[in-house]
Amino acid sequence: MTFQIRTIVSLSIAVIVLSLLLAGPSTAQQSQAKPTETLKSMLKAQVFGPEWLLSKGFNGDIDARNWRRLAQKLATPGSKIQVVTFGGSVTAGHLPEARNCSWVEQAEVWMKAAFPAVRFEVLNLARGATDVTAASTCWYNHVPANTDLIFIEYSANGCTRLQCTSIMSPLVADYESLLRRVMRRAPNAALMSLAIFAFYSHAGTAQNGKNTTIPTPYYNTVANGKNITIPTPYYNTGEDMHAVLARRYGVPMVSVRDALYNMMWDESALRSALGYGRKHIMKDDIHPAFVGHDLYGRGLVAWAMRYILTRELTALSSTAVNNNINNKNNNFGKNSLQLSLPSPVSPIAAREADGDTFCAEGAWFQKYVVKSSAAKDGWQWFDETTPINLKYCDHFNCHRLGYRATGAGKSLDIQVATNNVTTQSRLEKRALVIFFTRSPFKDEMGIARVSCISGCSCSPIELDGYNDDFYATLGAGSTSVTAHPQCLVRVTILDKSNSGGHMFKVDGVAVVPYTDSNPLTPIDKLALQGLA
């Protein structure tokens, strides 16, 4: 039924588009933006993949926030379109799987073909093996205020073990916080969520004639003398909770899972639909090859953009809309700061809404480390990103910088102002956040204790650098801290380890304002019990 409705809507839009193209632009359109000509140009730009498959990945039939404003700017010759992207390694791109591209660049290829009269500037804030926490706490601060379009991808990293299936999940709350913070920082930006998927398989072992599923990727098992493959469950993703948030905030979503899940374990179906098998589309269970990046960017994302912008450019082609686009009563003609954000969905996100954080992570972190402590205990400034990766990935967030040392008892001191955060008066508390590197390998990362030494006070916490999640190796630990202009924090490597090693790497520090005074409904409390 949904596909039939979408088909009818698409056909209706197509009829309107055809009549507008035949009629040509009006005088009013020629003097301002040129939506009809822009629409014609966009429809000529080719997307990669069959229409029926690309349409399955689109979940954006909503009143999309700021997309008409974006359409108007795309239709204005000479405009500069500022694009920002967030995500993990799939969005950062330029890995051995596809050295010369990412889906972002393939989407940019389509945008340049579709809108040749404007120019695009892309700021890629993605970093491999990270979940959404660093983006919502730190990297949103790098978004230019005049950004026009923001892509967000975080449905796999940190979410492949059911960590993101509850509205009470901290990672789901961080996703909502990221949405709210980028909307406040770049109030005119249109947003789009890209939900990637980890297409790995589970093993099973035959016991008493029954198959027992175990969470080990890359395996087949034997049942009744036959090899079988058990796909990872359809629900093993963060996108279903993210979709709730996307709809709440007017953010269209593109789902790689919805488009490809039924075919990813069926080689003949893949080849029939795309002309390529799985090995040509994916280099492993999560990272695309060039064809996969092209399918994500110039296929799924481009199709979704074309669908939304066809509707918006068609509306802009109406003389009435053009005459009223700057009318003070028209929401698209107003600064979006005047359009208040809805109340938060996640009670955990509501604790931080709508405060701004202080963060010093990566290259910015070095300034806040007490150099004498680093020198005394041999903490070295270190970039985990290999030179070969940096050769291909040249945006600043490809670097993975921090202070690293090996040996129990070694301490690193950090001085930060915990009183200096832009906030609302109701956010009366502060959380101290320490970012650190986690590793899934034995005999590497150890455990460190974080404590407040002078100026401020906090409850000590321990951070474990060993974690077997390959998809999210930038960890974050937090503790409540008092406000002080010179808060001295110490990170000390302990004489215990779950990996067998005693190395530790500190990547950054942040201060996040929050409140504990928000009331919880009985349903909220039930959700919290379910998470526990």
Side-chain angles (χ1 to χ4, degrees):
M1 177 64 72
T2 302
F3 179 75
Q4 292 175 340
I5 293 172
R6 184 176 294 167
T7 302
I8 293 169
V9 171
S10 298
L11 289 173
S12 300
I13 291 175
V15 171
I16 297 170
V17 169
L18 182 59
S19 64
L20 287 167
L21 294 180
L22 291 174
S26 69
T27 303
Q29 292 164 353
Q30 290 174 336
S31 64
Q32 300 179 22
K34 298 182 177 180
T36 302
E37 291 90 333
T38 302
L39 182 56
K40 186 187 301 184
S41 172
M42 181 186 70
L43 294 174
K44 288 180 180 178
Q46 298 216 345
V47 295
F48 175 65
E51 296 279 333
W52 65 267
L53 184 146
L54 301 179
S55 68
K56 289 177 64 177
F58 180 60
N59 296 316
D61 277 331
I62 56 177
D63 183 12
R65 177 187 178 88
N66 282 333
W67 276 83
R68 187 164 299 173
R69 184 185 293 276
L70 175 62
Q72 185 187 20
K73 196 166 181 181
L74 288 167
T76 304
S79 297
K80 185 191 85 168
I81 307 299
Q82 177 68 60
V83 181
V84 177
T85 61
F86 291 95
S89 56
V90 172
T91 298
H94 300 274
L95 295 173
E97 295 81 11
R99 278 296 187 197
N100 295 316
C101 79
S102 67
W103 69 262
V104 176
E105 285 153 315
Q106 296 311 108
E108 187 181 2
V109 166
W110 178 82
M111 287 189 283
K112 287 179 175 178
F115 310 104
V118 302
R119 60 190 179 93
F120 293 88
E121 185 173 299
V122 178
L123 174 60
N124 194 329
L125 293 175
R127 186 187 298 175
T130 61
D131 58 36
V132 70
T133 301
S136 68
T137 308
C138 299
W139 302 333
Y140 83 93
N141 282 304
H142 299 306
V143 174
N146 65 343
T147 297
D148 301 295
L149 177 61
I150 300 174
F151 293 105
I152 297 177
E153 169 266 304
Y154 281 114
S155 293
N157 286 15
C159 295
T160 58
R161 298 185 179 181
L162 304 184
Q163 306 101 313
C164 306
T165 55
S166 167
I167 199 64
M168 291 298 185
S169 159
L171 288 171
V172 173
D174 284 344
Y175 190 92
E176 183 171 14
S177 293
L178 177 60
L179 291 178
R180 297 182 70 89
R181 284 173 176 149
V182 297
M183 286 176 179
R184 290 173 57 244
R185 187 168 179 85
N188 294 329
L191 281 79
M192 177 172 283
S193 173
L194 173 65
I196 66 168
F197 193 77
F199 292 103
Y200 61 83
S201 303
H202 290 263
T205 55
Q207 296 180 354
N208 300 322
K210 296 181 180 180
N211 291 314
T212 302
T213 301
I214 58 175
T216 306
Y218 313 117
Y219 275 85
N220 291 332
T221 187
V222 176
N224 299 322
K226 295 181 180 180
N227 290 324
I228 63 171
T229 298
I230 307 173
T232 193
Y234 186 84
Y235 57 81
N236 188 27
T237 171
E239 76 170 84
D240 296 314
M241 280 289 95
H242 294 170
V244 172
L245 300 175
R247 183 168 292 276
R248 173 70 165 163
Y249 289 96
V251 178
M253 174 174 275
V254 174
S255 170
V256 172
R257 176 195 66 180
D258 289 358
L260 297 176
Y261 187 90
N262 290 340
M263 296 187 297
M264 196 54 76
W265 288 271
D266 187 337
E267 191 74 4
S268 61
L270 266 182
R271 289 187 178 277
S272 175
L274 294 167
Y276 297 97
R278 177 164 173 159
K279 289 184 179 179
H280 285 89
I281 297 170
M282 307 292 293
K283 283 299 184 183
D284 58 36
D285 298 319
I286 193 169
H287 298 104
F290 173 80
V291 173
H293 279 296
D294 207 23
L295 177 61
Y296 288 14
R298 197 167 58 90
L300 292 165
V301 169
W303 193 97
M305 290 186 67
R306 189 185 67 182
Y307 184 93
I308 301 168
L309 290 169
T310 295
R311 178 179 63 202
E312 302 301 345
L313 288 167
T314 299
L316 286 173
S317 296
S318 162
T319 303
V321 171
N322 273 278
N323 286 342
N324 290 291
I325 194 66
N326 292 314
N327 188 290
K328 64 181 180 180
N329 294 319
N330 190 306
N331 283 342
F332 291 104
K334 296 198 300 184
N335 188 312
S336 296
L337 278 176
Q338 298 172 10
L339 304 176
S340 60
L341 292 175
S343 59
V345 178
S346 164
I348 298 177
R351 298 176 68 208
E352 299 178 9
D354 282 310
D356 281 318
T357 68
F358 162 82
C359 182
E361 188 275 339
W364 291 267
F365 176 49
Q366 201 167 14
K367 173 182 176 182
Y368 295 90
V369 169
V370 179
K371 300 301 186 293
S372 58
S373 74
K376 174 179 175 290
D377 281 348
W379 290 81
Q380 299 293 319
W381 185 245
F382 181 73
D383 190 347
E384 282 188 88
T385 309
T386 62
I388 188 67
N389 279 350
L390 289 177
K391 176 182 176 181
Y392 293 95
C393 186
D394 60 359
H395 53 84
F396 76 85
N397 225 17
C398 291
H399 294 271
R400 304 167 76 159
L401 298 161
Y403 278 96
R404 189 178 73 172
T406 301
K410 294 190 174 182
S411 296
L412 183 72
D413 290 348
I414 305 162
Q415 186 165 288
V416 62
T418 54
N419 66 330
N420 189 21
V421 286
T422 304
T423 183
Q424 299 179 3
S425 59
R426 69 178 189 83
L427 302 180
E428 73 283 0
K429 295 189 175 182
R430 305 286 182 272
L432 174 71
V433 181
I434 298 295
F435 291 97
F436 63 102
T437 294
R438 301 182 301 181
S439 169
F441 302 110
K442 290 290 186 180
D443 300 318
E444 280 197 356
M445 294 301 180
I447 298 173
R449 180 176 59 244
V450 178
S451 54
C452 293
I453 302 304
S454 67
C456 56
S457 61
C458 65
S459 297
I461 55 172
E462 292 187 1
L463 308 176
D464 191 351
Y466 175 68
N467 185 288
D468 61 355
D469 185 349
F470 284 82
Y471 298 145
T473 61
L474 182 63
S478 67
T479 181
S480 183
V481 66
T482 57
H484 196 276
Q486 292 183 319
C487 176
L488 187 64
V489 179
R490 179 165 294 166
V491 179
T492 304
I493 302 175
L494 301 179
D495 189 17
K496 60 181 180 178
S497 174
N498 290 317
S499 76
H502 292 89
M503 180 190 300
F504 203 82
K505 180 166 172 273
V506 186
D507 298 87
V509 61
V511 180
V512 181
Y514 73 98
T515 182
D516 276 335
S517 62
N518 287 344
L520 294 178
T521 69
I523 302 301
D524 294 330
K525 294 175 182 178
L526 281 174
L528 277 172
Q529 292 172 9
L531 189 63

